């Protein structure tokens, strides 16, 4: 078959009708719905924006499970002579963006690597802490041993937090965030941005 015959053959192929296109679109939508309803609650299902199926819940405060464990952290630390001060919890997008500008368009040192919507604080899943000391002062000293047991108070708090289910920002290799504690419940930032939310109570 020469070139002219090939071109003629391509042109002679029937184009899909509008009805066929509608059927194809319908099948594609059906496939998406099947993935949604047949997949479990793991990563596959959460690839889809939840806004396709129901209203996205607005986050305005700490997740109740996170808040409960925050209070446990403060209490368990108090029992061993350490006063934990929670310096931050839920943070809205405007507050996050203001922090991001520090050390960039605004003065001061860089304090965060993420903009609004990219932090677990924005979804009520993270807290920041410091240590309270005599005179009502607050410190961020990883070596301080205020209870005199020969151990870093900071790391004692981190150990308690991890037992409660928090992960620690100090373990991050690229940009350690030593005051940061979070409970992500297995959700990624991408999934949270797509509207998925962890449970508000223990299952």
């Amino acid at each position: 078959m020469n070139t002219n015959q090939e071109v003629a053959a391509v042109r002679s192929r029937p184009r899909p009708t509008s009805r066929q296109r509608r059927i194809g679109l319908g099948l594609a939508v059906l496939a998406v719905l099947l993935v949604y309803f047949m997949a479990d609650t793991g990563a596959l299902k959460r690839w889809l924006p939840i806004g396709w199926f129901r209203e996205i819940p607005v986050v305005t405060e700490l997740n109740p499970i996170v808040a409960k464990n925050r209070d446990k952290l403060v209490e368990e630390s108090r029992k061993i002579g350490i006063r934990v001060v929670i310096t931050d919890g839920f943070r809205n997008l405007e507050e996050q963006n203001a922090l991001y500008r520090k050390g960039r368009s605004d003065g001061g040192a860089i304090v965060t690597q993420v903009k609004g919507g990219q932090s677990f604080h924005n979804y009520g899943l993270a807290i920041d802490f410091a240590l309270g000391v005599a005179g009502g002062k607050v410190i961020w000293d990883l070596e301080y041993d205020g209870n005199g047991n020969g151990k870093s108070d900071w790391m004692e708090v981190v150990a308690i937090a991890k037992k409660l289910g928090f992960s620690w920002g100090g373990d991050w290799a690229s940009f350690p965030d030593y005051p940061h504690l979070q409970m992500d419940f297995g959700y990624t930032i991408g999934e949270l941005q797509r509207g998925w939310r962890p449970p508000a109570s223990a299952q």
Side-chain angles (χ1 to χ4, degrees):
M1 183 181 291
N2 60 37
T3 303
N4 291 335
Q5 289 174 322
E6 291 175 352
V7 171
V10 170
R11 289 177 176 174
S12 65
R13 290 175 186 169
R15 294 182 179 180
T17 65
S18 59
R19 181 172 180 273
Q20 290 173 324
R21 287 194 294 268
R22 288 197 299 270
I23 292 173
L25 179 59
L27 289 173
V29 172
L30 180 60
V32 170
L33 290 173
L34 284 174
V35 170
Y36 177 80
F37 289 111
M38 294 180 67
D40 61 19
T41 56
L44 177 60
K45 184 175 181 179
R46 296 200 296 259
W47 269 102
L48 303 175
I50 198 172
W52 289 5
F53 308 100
R54 60 179 182 268
E55 185 177 353
I56 297 176
V58 177
V59 181
T60 59
E61 60 186 3
L62 276 182
N63 176 285
I65 299 175
V66 178
K68 182 178 180 179
N69 284 287
R70 170 203 60 194
D71 296 342
K72 286 182 179 180
L73 176 66
V74 172
E75 178 58 22
E76 292 301 312
S77 299
R78 184 193 63 78
K79 290 178 181 179
I80 59 173
I82 300 173
R83 185 164 73 88
V84 169
V85 177
I86 303 300
T87 60
D88 209 350
F90 168 75
R91 189 186 298 150
N92 64 35
L93 301 187
E94 291 75 14
E95 292 168 335
Q96 185 69 39
N97 285 328
L99 283 179
Y100 184 79
R101 289 193 297 269
K102 288 187 176 181
R104 296 181 175 89
S105 59
D106 295 349
I110 290 177
V111 295
T112 182
Q113 295 293 316
V114 295
K115 299 179 181 179
Q118 300 173 342
S119 168
F120 283 96
H121 283 282
N122 307 150
Y123 304 96
L125 303 179
I127 60 174
D128 291 341
F129 79 96
L131 301 176
V133 297
K137 295 180 179 180
V138 175
I139 62 173
W140 288 262
D141 186 343
L142 274 65
E143 305 299 326
Y144 180 74
D145 179 21
N147 60 2
N149 65 355
K151 301 177 183 179
S152 157
D153 286 3
W154 196 278
M155 297 310 299
E156 287 188 272
V157 173
V158 169
I160 294 171
K162 288 183 175 182
K163 288 181 181 179
L164 292 171
F166 287 99
S167 57
W168 180 43
D171 289 328
W172 298 344
S174 58
F175 188 80
D177 188 352
Y178 298 106
H180 182 92
L181 299 167
Q182 71 183 41
M183 301 182 78
D184 57 38
F185 302 92
Y187 287 72
T188 67
I189 283 294
E191 290 166 346
L192 295 168
Q193 290 173 329
R194 289 192 288 275
W196 292 94
R197 300 290 181 263
S201 60
Q203 301 297 305

